């Protein structure tokens, strides 16, 4: 069974600094997608970035980028130039490509605090 | 286009009471999901549906039932609420298009069982 692990329950970063959130996953499949979701205090789940496993190039969305290491089954999120609005819970998630159920499997989350 | 909506947003129940949470999506998605979110445990899948008229159990289905009579609606029922069901509940829908996957979430329902 696939699993997703986020080993950092809480992280803190100074405003304008860079922070990296860790995620590892376990799967025997070769074709899948990985995601980072942000959940601010409003509770709304917001997609931050996605990575297709078949792509070697790391995904980037403005200040957010990932370091995808397929062999190591690692998928970390880097937030550059951190802003107060980045303070939130961040979830890493996995979905199998072409699966019958399209179920997302989530990690337990990392709570990010941004210090002014 | 409202996306995924959930009703109600907040609810307080007494132990043993029943209630139904309604999820609606206007994106014509086949797949729909119900999750619960508890501190330190992330989002756990309760039940899901791969199409109208079909449902299946997820990771934590006990104490819940679901129905998908219409493609756009996915209902989550609690027949006899227990304090252990105090949680935040999220509904979601998903699609694949041109090898691109996205799952959309509702705003969540905070349920307290006393």
């Amino acid at each position: 069974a696939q699993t997703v692990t986020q080993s950092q329950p809480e992280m803190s970063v100074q405003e304008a600094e860079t922070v990296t959130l860790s995620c590892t996953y376990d799967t025997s499949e070769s074709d899948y997608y990985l995601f980072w979701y942000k959940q601010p205090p409003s509770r709304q789940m917001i997609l931050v970035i996605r990575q297709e496993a078949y792509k070697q190039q790391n995904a980037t969305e403005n200040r957010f980028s990932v370091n995808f290491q397929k062999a190591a089954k690692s998928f970390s999120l880097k937030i550059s130039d951190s802003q107060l609005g980045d303070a939130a819970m961040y979830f890493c998630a996995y979905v199998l490509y072409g699966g019958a159920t399209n179920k997302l499997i989530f990690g337990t989350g990392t709570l990010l605090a941004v210090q002014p | 286009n409202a996306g995924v909506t959930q009703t109600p947003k907040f609810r307080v129940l007494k132990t043993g009471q029943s209630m139904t949470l309604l999820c609606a999506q206007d994106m014509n998605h086949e797949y729909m999901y119900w999750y619960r979110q508890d501190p330190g445990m992330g989002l756990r899948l309760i039940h899901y549906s791969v199409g109208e008229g079909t449902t299946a159990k997820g990771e934590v289905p006990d104490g819940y039932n679901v129905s998908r009579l219409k493609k756009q609606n996915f209902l989550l029922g609690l027949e006899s609420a227990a304090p252990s069901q105090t949680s935040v509940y999220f509904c979601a829908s998903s699609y694949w298009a041109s090898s691109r996957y996205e799952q959309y979430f509702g705003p969540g329902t905070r349920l307290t069982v006393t």
Side-chain angles (χ1 to χ4, degrees):
Chain A
Q2 294 88 4
T3 59
V4 176
T5 302
Q6 293 179 251
S7 59
Q8 305 155 316
E10 297 182 13
M11 293 279 287
S12 182
V13 64
Q14 290 292 127
E15 198 174 3
E17 296 294 310
T18 295
V19 64
T20 298
L21 308 184
S22 300
C23 173
T24 59
Y25 58 95
D26 187 21
T27 183
S28 58
E29 306 290 342
S30 61
D31 211 356
Y32 49 87
Y33 283 39
L34 296 165
F35 306 86
W36 279 98
Y37 280 88
K38 171 185 178 182
Q39 186 182 42
S42 67
R43 285 203 316 248
Q44 184 65 51
M45 294 288 285
I46 302 165
L47 179 63
V48 174
I49 199 165
R50 67 163 58 82
Q51 174 78 45
E52 294 88 337
Y54 67 87
K55 290 186 177 179
Q56 293 186 335
Q57 186 173 6
N58 289 327
T60 300
E61 290 285 347
N62 300 314
R63 297 183 295 107
F64 299 87
S65 61
V66 298
N67 184 2
F68 173 48
Q69 302 288 329
K70 191 172 184 179
K73 297 180 182 175
S74 171
F75 182 60
S76 61
L77 174 70
K78 186 171 81 171
I79 306 174
S80 304
D81 186 24
S82 296
Q83 300 175 0
L84 295 177
D86 295 333
M89 180 73 84
Y90 287 82
F91 291 100
C92 179
Y94 161 105
V95 69
L96 175 64
Y97 180 77
T101 64
N102 292 339
K103 291 187 287 184
L104 270 180
I105 299 170
F106 287 90
T108 51
T110 296
L111 182 62
L112 178 66
V114 180
Q115 307 300 330
Chain B
N1 190 334
V4 179
T5 58
Q6 292 182 229
T7 308
K9 289 188 168 50
F10 302 92
R11 186 73 186 269
V12 178
L13 287 179
K14 294 187 187 302
T15 298
Q17 287 185 318
S18 64
M19 77 163 294
T20 300
L21 280 68
L22 171 63
C23 176
Q25 52 97 1
D26 60 1
M27 298 171 283
N28 202 36
H29 290 168
E30 292 291 338
Y31 300 86
M32 295 187 75
Y33 312 85
W34 276 107
Y35 298 92
R36 61 177 288 172
Q37 182 180 15
D38 302 293
M41 304 189 78
L43 276 77
R44 294 183 292 168
L45 185 64
I46 304 171
H47 286 280
Y48 63 97
S49 170
V50 301
E52 182 179 319
T54 70
T55 64
K57 295 180 180 179
E59 184 184 357
V60 288
D62 293 344
Y64 305 95
N65 56 75
V66 289
S67 64
R68 184 113 181 255
L69 299 179
K70 294 183 179 180
K71 186 177 185 178
Q72 64 268 36
N73 296 337
F74 194 29
L75 278 63
L76 178 71
L78 286 73
E79 291 184 345
S80 179
S84 61
Q85 293 178 305
T86 293
S87 188
V88 178
Y89 292 85
F90 287 94
C91 176
S93 67
S94 72
Y95 78 102
W96 286 98
S98 300
S99 298
R100 183 183 177 90
Y101 176 89
E102 183 127 13
Q103 185 160 134
Y104 293 84
F105 287 84
T109 296
R110 180 174 292 278
L111 174 67
T112 301
V113 183
T114 61

